[in-house]
Amino acid sequence: MSQSLTQKTQPKPQKVSFESGDGFVVGNLYLPKGHDQSRRYPAVAVGGSLTSVKEQMGGNYAGELSRRGIIALAIDYRNYGESSGAMRQFEDQASKAEDLSAALRFLKRRNDVSGTGILGVCTSGGTALYTAAKDTNVGALATVAGFFSDPHLVLKMFGGEEGVDTRIAASRQARKRYDETGIIETVFAYMPHDKTAMSPSPSEYYMDLSRGGGVRAWRNEFAVMGWEQWLAFDPLSQARLVKVPTLVMHSDGAAFPDQARKVHDLLAGPKDLFWAEGKHFDFYDQAETVRQTAWPRTFTPSLVDGNLMTASGSLQTSALHQ
């Protein structure tokens, strides 16, 4: 098994915060080694999986990006980690998409930044499509083992219309309880074989205390009142609106590979599809997989000029395939 990456294996970041919506976002900013304030660098905002915090897979990718000469910002979305929000562990994709935009605005204000983009891991791969569809600060986009839901997949995952309707009813009841009492009802975010959990799959990354499950800032909780918003998550509908250079990185062992292919087919701008090897959670923290799929050097110029399109409309990312 390859080395598992953790916050301890990454360069030491700077903690930063910035406004987003009606609150603030806290992030870990990773600067390239030998950073020179008089120079300008490409910069990437990094988001992780559902309920994740910046010390997990987002930090792993941000640390690796900084080793490649990129300023990288791993964030806690609002309602998670150190960021603001009274509705803790509440899943709100509109809020998350705005947080990615806020991260790009924060990076753009720096004098040492030449251009900005997003790298989204798992759920944030889908969230980033919402952001890239409307935010001109997204110069380029990379998704890693992205979760690209749509209404058909939701029905398949959650027991058809009956399962979806049951969860929506529970969501509305939990929101009513929160509005009346301030109490946030939660279930496990990840718990193998627990049908009440958001995800009852094996989820070994979260169950292993030496991996993501051991990150102190992370809470294995999903706010029940977030079910309705989570079930409405439909990044596939946003793909056709994304015109910036986009690199979709996935594998047959990652979650729902056919959805990744659909996203790639729908993208409206320069694009490439890189098919890697590995299981889904390998993309979170296994060194070989992370280093293979972190922002490739041949893709970096798209943060500045978007000129990586070949005559066929694909991206010049051939070095990634070697």
Side-chain angles (χ1 to χ4, degrees):
M1 188 175 185
S2 108
Q3 174 195 6
S4 291
L5 301 176
T6 67
Q7 188 178 24
K8 293 181 180 179
T9 66
Q10 302 306 328
K12 186 175 182 180
Q14 299 176 7
K15 187 173 291 187
V16 299
S17 65
F18 45 90
E19 292 183 357
S20 181
D22 59 358
F24 62 87
V25 166
V26 176
N28 281 341
L29 183 69
Y30 295 79
L31 299 177
K33 184 177 180 180
H35 173 262
D36 182 348
Q37 190 62 43
S38 67
R39 289 184 53 195
R40 302 180 76 211
Y41 302 82
V44 174
V46 184
S49 68
L50 184 80
T51 78
S52 70
V53 291
K54 61 188 179 300
E55 294 83 6
Q56 292 176 311
M57 70 293 295
N60 288 335
Y61 277 87
E64 181 60 29
L65 292 178
S66 72
R67 292 189 175 98
R68 301 183 183 197
I70 296 173
I71 293 174
L73 175 62
I75 67 169
D76 284 337
Y77 290 111
R78 279 176 291 166
N79 299 318
Y80 295 96
E82 294 183 276
S83 292
S84 68
M87 301 167 68
R88 307 310 293 176
Q89 306 300 118
F90 175 65
E91 189 58 27
D92 181 354
Q93 284 297 319
S95 169
K96 285 186 168 184
E98 172 54 29
D99 290 345
L100 288 174
S101 285
L104 296 181
R105 292 193 296 270
F106 170 82
L107 291 169
K108 289 279 283 189
R109 288 195 295 268
R110 294 179 59 93
N111 294 328
D112 57 354
V113 166
S114 59
T116 53
I118 298 174
L119 186 148
V121 184
C122 193
T123 302
S124 285
T127 309
L129 291 177
Y130 280 85
T131 305
K134 62 178 66 174
D135 190 341
T136 58
N137 285 328
V138 182
L141 169 64
T143 70
V144 178
F147 177 64
F148 304 116
S149 186
D150 67 7
H152 297 292
L153 182 60
V154 166
L155 291 174
K156 180 180 178 180
M157 288 179 64
F158 297 109
E161 291 184 7
E162 181 179 355
V164 169
D165 290 345
T166 297
R167 287 170 173 82
I168 290 175
S171 176
R172 292 175 179 175
Q173 182 61 36
R175 180 57 188 262
K176 182 174 184 291
R177 183 185 184 192
Y178 171 78
D179 290 340
E180 293 174 352
T181 68
I183 294 173
I184 300 174
E185 180 184 352
T186 63
V187 294
F188 285 118
Y190 306 92
M191 186 57 62
H193 313 300
D194 184 342
K195 293 183 179 180
T196 69
M198 188 284 300
S199 174
S201 65
S203 304
E204 59 268 22
Y205 173 80
Y206 300 102
M207 298 298 103
D208 190 339
L209 295 181
S210 70
R211 300 175 71 187
V215 174
R216 291 184 179 182
W218 178 69
R219 292 164 56 181
N220 188 10
E221 298 175 3
F222 175 85
V224 174
M225 61 182 168
W227 268 120
E228 186 164 11
Q229 286 85 346
W230 176 230
L231 294 170
F233 182 49
D234 184 11
L236 209 66
S237 69
Q238 301 299 303
R240 66 182 74 252
L241 304 175
V242 176
K243 299 179 180 179
V244 298
T246 301
L247 177 60
V248 178
M249 294 174 280
H250 215 87
S251 76
D252 286 325
F256 307 108
D258 287 344
Q259 296 295 106
R261 294 186 178 98
K262 289 178 183 178
V263 163
H264 173 261
D265 290 345
L266 290 169
L267 292 166
K271 58 189 175 182
D272 202 359
L273 179 66
F274 172 58
W275 220 245
E277 295 183 0
K279 299 178 181 178
H280 188 81
F281 295 119
D282 292 345
F283 289 90
Y284 288 14
D285 68 343
Q286 296 306 292
E288 183 177 348
T289 308
V290 171
R291 289 166 184 160
Q292 185 183 35
T293 54
W295 204 280
R297 289 180 175 85
T298 51
F299 193 51
T300 301
S302 60
L303 291 176
V304 181
D305 55 26
N307 288 331
L308 287 186
M309 187 167 63
T310 65
S312 65
S314 63
L315 291 170
Q316 296 176 10
T317 54
S318 57
L320 190 63
H321 300 264
Q322 297 175 356

